[in-house]
Amino acid sequence: MLTAIYPGSFDPITNGHLDVIGRASRLADRLVVGVLLNSNKNPLFPIEERVEMTREAVKGFKNIEVTHFDGLLVGFAERESAQIIVRGIRAISDYEFELQMALMNRRLKPDLETVFLMASEQYSFVSSRIIKEVARLGGDIGGLVPPHVESHLRARFQRS
Ligand code: PNS
């Protein structure tokens, strides 16, 4: 039984994340999406909302669970008995930081393998950060995030 974890801030989940999730779910028997609780990126959405939006987005998949985690990623992998960490790569600019994380995680837990999956090129410019900025300024983000995430963003920016 091959268990993979897909960690991230998911603030919020985008169609780029979902593209990677779809690919990873075909490779692993069980895929656990881990939403980081205490992201130092100062998230827009609280952890409960990030988990809820992510769960809603993956409800069509059978072998996917969504949970939150705190502390080291290798600790989360251990708790879930995962053999693989999945990370998505959009462009070569992502690679340097991802390599650094992968090598540190390998040092911390040598038997845990990081696997990079290439997101579809149609999402190569999509990031949660840029989605939030465009949504905050009233731009169209249709087709780049699931419809329910669009509603959360709209509601969030109407309040502020
Ligand atoms: O979606 P993100 O914000 O790029 O995801 C980053 C994440 C969650 C993968 C990374 O911040 C992480 O693993 N945090 C947990 C703390 C940890 O283990 N740090 C050392 C890894 S080098």
Side-chain angles (χ1 to χ4, degrees), residues 7-10 17 36 39 41 69 71-74 87 97-98 100-101 104-105 108:
S9 307
F10 301 106
H17 291 128
L36 181 65
S39 171
K41 289 182 181 167
F69 77 101
L72 282 177
L73 181 57
V74 292
R87 292 287 289 170
F97 178 58
E98 293 297 332
Q100 221 179 358
M101 279 207 298
M104 177 54 87
N105 285 328
L108 295 170

Side-chain angles (χ1 to χ4, degrees), residues 16-69:
H17 291 128
L18 276 174
D19 179 85
V20 172
I21 287 173
R23 291 167 202 282
S25 79
R26 290 192 288 275
L27 297 177
D29 298 304
R30 174 176 169 253
L31 179 67
V32 186
V33 180
V35 185
L36 181 65
L37 180 65
N38 279 328
S39 171
N40 54 13
K41 289 182 181 167
N42 193 16
L44 174 68
F45 294 105
I47 185 66
E48 299 79 13
E49 201 169 351
R50 282 184 282 142
V51 168
E52 183 200 317
M53 284 188 283
T54 306
R55 262 197 199 127
E56 174 72 19
V58 305
K59 69 176 186 207
F61 294 93
K62 285 205 163 34
N63 60 340
I64 300 186
E65 297 159 33
V66 180
T67 186
H68 68 268
F69 77 101

Side-chain angles (χ1 to χ4, degrees), residues 110-158:
D111 57 341
L112 182 65
E113 215 51 71
T114 299
V115 172
F116 295 132
L117 295 180
M118 268 52 74
S120 169
E121 65 277 9
Q122 62 177 311
Y123 301 122
S124 60
F125 62 96
V126 175
S127 69
S128 297
R129 186 190 60 77
I130 213 160
I131 290 288
K132 282 181 283 190
E133 180 165 330
V134 173
R136 183 170 57 82
L137 298 171
D140 180 15
I141 49 164
L144 302 178
V145 293
H148 70 281
V149 171
E150 223 181 312
S151 309
H152 278 254
L153 282 163
R154 214 173 294 122
R156 180 67 184 79
F157 288 124
Q158 262 167 16

